Amino acid sequence: MKLMDPYSYQCGVIDCFNEMIRAGLKKIALSHPADSAAQRDELLPFSREICRKYGTKFYVEDEPLLTDLFPISLNRGKYNIIYYKNEENIKEYLDIKAEKQKLLTKDSYCGKARIEIAYRFGKLLSYPDEGILRLIRENHELE
């Protein structure tokens, strides 16, 4: 099998996710987490081009939403690009993130509220209900 360089692989993922967003299969999609802002920013020119091609948009994320949907090591201290088409979807992402912060401030980010934040994030990523619940249940690497 021919080896693919990481940049080309990332570009393929970005293209695929934006095609899915354009088709209405996903509300938002995340780039693979980058270890540094500079590494993530190398993908911005391609992101601009692919979003122009598909009529989508992107949001540069320096502090990703951390939930029980994914293992904490996947996103803590990482940098992402969020792809979307409709402004209400990126607004919903930012609202979920703000709600989590409020819960943390009130020392209420636990139990049902914590699961609800992860669940809402999964729905925004257009995951099916059973997939969201399975990811939360099987995640043993919490923040």
Side-chain angles (χ1 to χ4, degrees):
M1 178 170 78
K2 184 177 179 179
L3 293 178
M4 182 180 297
D5 65 279
Y7 178 82
S8 297
Y9 174 77
Q10 290 283 10
C11 289
V13 169
I14 291 167
D15 185 283
C16 178
F17 277 157
N18 277 277
E19 182 178 8
M20 293 172 74
I21 291 167
R22 179 188 69 176
L25 298 171
K26 289 186 75 55
K27 293 178 183 178
I28 70 167
L30 307 171
S31 66
H32 286 288
D35 291 330
S36 69
Q39 190 180 52
R40 184 250 348 257
D41 292 352
E42 289 176 0
L43 294 166
L44 293 180
F46 183 79
S47 293
R48 281 186 200 89
E49 178 67 28
I50 214 69
C51 286
R52 204 171 10 257
K53 175 181 175 182
Y54 290 114
T56 55
K57 302 169 188 167
F58 67 89
Y59 177 85
V60 177
E61 178 60 281
D62 288 335
E63 296 178 27
L65 174 59
L66 305 174
T67 73
D68 293 345
L69 193 63
F70 303 115
I72 191 66
S73 63
L74 207 65
N75 290 300
R76 178 183 276 153
K78 306 290 182 169
Y79 301 83
N80 293 90
I81 305 170
I82 301 172
Y83 299 94
Y84 64 99
K85 184 173 183 174
N86 300 313
E87 290 298 324
E88 64 261 17
N89 297 135
I90 196 64
K91 182 185 179 316
E92 184 177 351
Y93 169 80
L94 295 171
D95 288 348
I96 294 169
K97 196 172 164 181
E99 180 156 341
K100 179 190 173 190
Q101 189 56 48
K102 283 182 197 171
L103 289 167
L104 285 168
T105 302
K106 294 191 243 177
D107 202 26
S108 299
Y109 184 62
C110 55
K112 188 175 180 179
R114 185 178 177 124
I115 292 169
E116 180 65 22
I117 292 291
Y119 182 83
R120 287 175 55 200
F121 188 34
K123 289 302 280 185
L124 187 58
L125 287 164
S126 304
Y127 293 176
D129 291 342
E130 62 276 1
I132 295 168
L133 296 174
R134 180 180 44 78
L135 286 171
I136 293 169
R137 184 177 58 250
E138 293 176 0
N139 181 9
H140 300 292
E141 190 185 322
L142 308 176
E143 74 180 304

